[in-house]
Amino acid sequence: MANEKKAVIVGAGLVGALWSVFLAKRGYQVDVYERRSDFREAGYIGGRSINLALSERGWKAVEIAGIREKIEQVAIPMPGRMMHGTDSSLTFQPYGEEGQAIYSVSRGGLNIELVKIADEMENVRFHFNQACLGVDIESNTLRFEDTRSGVEYGIESDLIFATDGAFSPVRQSLQKLPRFNYSQQYIDYGYKELCIPANPDGSHQMGTGALHIWPRGNFMLIALPNIDGSFTCTLFMPFEGEDSFEHLRTDEQVTAFFEKFFPDTLQLMPTLLEDFRENPTSALHTVRCHPWHYMHKILLIGDAAHAIVPFFGQGMNCGFEDCTILDSLMDKYEEHWPSIMEEFNANRPEDSNAIADLALLNFIEMRDKVADPKFLLWKKIEKHLHERFPKDFQSVYSMVSFSHVPYSQALAAVGQQEELFNRMLKIKDLEQNWNGSEVEAVFQYWLKTR
Ligand SMILES: Cc1cc2nc3c(=O)[nH]c(=O)nc-3n(C[C@H](O)[C@H](O)[C@H](O)COP(=O)(O)OP(=O)(O)OC[C@H]3O[C@@H](n4cnc5c(N)ncnc54)[C@H](O)[C@@H]3O)c2cc1C
């Protein structure tokens, strides 16, 4: 009966390619339309290896799709952050318990692997160089342009999944409908990708067991390892203002800035000036919208439904979790799509809105708080509480990155845990007594009264 179940996916990015595997495994005939040319042959955009942090929610989806082992081979564990001080000092902060880590994976490598796996399934067909122009809502007809010939045509389908990213043309068509809610919020910060190349023998210039971070108050530099020995670095900073991209226009300005704030990186980055000149300064925004489906026939998933800023490393993980949730709803409702879309549309936005908020909050933590002694003290207490009371206490970071607790619960825990820490700050000499009986007594009281 495979050919009776048909679906169209717009966008063969991370979420679209993975979702095609989920559908194909259930016997759907899946047609995936992608604007770019086939990146298995053409190479991935940019050329440089841009990487992403994959964590528990993403792994679960990858596992259900049956490709965990393949991805594990190219994923580098990062069990903590390595903080680089202005005096070049190094401080390691574990993210979770012994054995827990987030993983650095190449965006291009992962996308190519997902497309390869989907393409090996006989019921998935990829159509590259096909740019979606929008959707004629009344007839469920997607409008496409073949980018090589310029020919325009329509594809009609009763089951359309829009995984066409943060600027989704499918969503833009839905935005014209009455009662479609949409917001797009840019932050005042941008980012630029830079590179730390491998040593001549292919080894890494810094340790790979960490996400490297240079927190500098209002801005920061991070670096994630790649399997080719290089690191992809990202500088996040304001577009305008005192220390900002607008004041880094000449080679001299860039050199002076790095000498002042990131002196230990200069010798690691031989192509700094060239990279700084040539790589774009990109903007960051959050997209929220609702409803996510139209007449149970078109469904937005991934960034098309909920684009977030990257500071919790959760955008892709959240999109992958969309797939896991839809998969379980397919079981629950025996693939009755109106019921699946209704429930997904009713429940999931609360969590995607929560991770959007958490991602904005985590920016402050990364660029500023990680260097604050009070924050480091709280991290020690968090770890202690979790070891002593594993069932009753989990840090917000762990909830987001190492569990499947709904994002909305993790967001609710932010305020509750802040309240707990504020109570603990009243304990005398907390710096020395961070694992003492008073801390535990305050915790027990908080547990009963929160
Ligand atoms: C700097 C940065 C760092 C990030 N780091 C992380 C991280 O560490 N961890 C994490 O989980 N997430 C991270 N993210 C977020 C992550 O990149 C996104 O959430 C993820 O790529 C979303 O996947 P998607 O498939 O929904 O969209 P996309 O990956 O954007 O894919 C959309 C696809 O649709 C195609 N498309 C677009 N328009 C059309 C059209 N008109 N017709 C046909 N096809 C079209 C595109 O070519 C693309 O292939 C980061 C994002 C940024 C910007």
Side-chain angles (χ1 to χ4, degrees), residues 284-297:
L284 294 163
H285 73 312
T286 304
V287 168
R288 301 176 206 246
C289 67
H290 201 253
W292 287 353
H293 76 91
Y294 176 71
M295 301 292 278
H296 308 134
K297 291 183 172 174

Side-chain angles (χ1 to χ4, degrees), residues 61-301:
V62 161
E63 187 163 332
I64 296 173
I67 54 175
R68 185 178 182 121
E69 277 170 22
K70 282 199 165 173
I71 307 301
E72 268 172 358
Q73 287 165 16
V74 292
I76 304 177
M78 300 183 292
R81 20 169 112 100
M82 183 65 83
M83 211 178 74
H84 295 244
T86 25
D87 57 356
S88 302
S89 60
L90 295 176
T91 318
F92 182 73
Q93 298 169 4
Y95 281 132
E97 295 165 35
E98 185 83 33
Q100 283 182 326
I102 58 171
Y103 289 79
S104 175
V105 287
S106 146
R107 172 191 282 271
L110 181 57
N111 206 162
I112 288 171
E113 200 58 50
L114 291 170
V115 167
K116 270 192 199 159
I117 288 159
D119 211 13
E120 277 163 15
M121 303 174 89
E122 60 176 24
N123 44 342
V124 180
R125 285 187 300 229
F126 283 94
H127 309 270
F128 290 97
N129 303 297
Q130 309 303 313
C132 180
L133 305 174
V135 52
D136 290 329
I137 303 287
E138 294 310 323
S139 60
N140 292 315
T141 305
L142 288 160
R143 285 179 289 109
F144 285 100
E145 180 190 5
D146 184 315
T147 56
R148 292 160 305 185
S149 63
V151 171
E152 290 187 20
Y153 59 95
I155 298 282
E156 211 182 308
S157 172
D158 281 341
L159 193 54
I160 295 169
F161 297 99
T163 53
D164 45 354
F167 299 96
S168 163
V170 175
R171 187 192 64 228
Q172 284 171 27
S173 294
L174 300 186
Q175 279 169 228
K176 293 177 190 141
L177 290 169
R179 301 186 64 207
F180 186 90
N181 297 297
Y182 172 73
S183 77
Q184 168 182 297
Q185 186 85 46
Y186 278 91
I187 57 171
D188 295 335
Y189 294 75
Y191 70 96
K192 192 182 275 292
E193 262 142 5
L194 302 166
C195 176
I196 295 178
N199 285 314
D201 66 357
S203 59
H204 290 87
Q205 292 200 58
M206 302 186 295
T208 56
L211 184 154
H212 291 263
I213 178 164
W214 292 257
R216 296 295 181 262
N218 202 26
F219 57 93
M220 67 176 177
L221 180 72
I222 63 168
L224 274 73
N226 297 309
I227 45 169
D228 65 2
S230 66
F231 281 83
T232 304
C233 307
T234 314
L235 174 64
F236 294 96
M237 69 187 307
F239 281 105
E240 291 100 16
E242 196 182 334
D243 293 313
S244 71
F245 283 114
E246 73 169 347
H247 291 131
L248 297 182
R249 293 193 195 279
T250 65
D251 287 357
E252 292 70 31
Q253 287 170 330
V254 173
T255 307
F257 177 78
F258 271 72
E259 273 169 355
K260 181 170 176 193
F261 293 109
F262 311 119
D264 55 338
T265 63
L266 280 169
Q267 68 193 51
L268 306 175
M269 298 171 120
T271 55
L272 169 66
L273 296 176
E274 186 190 326
D275 290 346
F276 213 95
R277 258 182 264 123
E278 285 174 13
N279 293 350
T281 307
S282 305
L284 294 163
H285 73 312
T286 304
V287 168
R288 301 176 206 246
C289 67
H290 201 253
W292 287 353
H293 76 91
Y294 176 71
M295 301 292 278
H296 308 134
K297 291 183 172 174
I298 302 171
L299 184 67
L300 306 173
I301 323 180

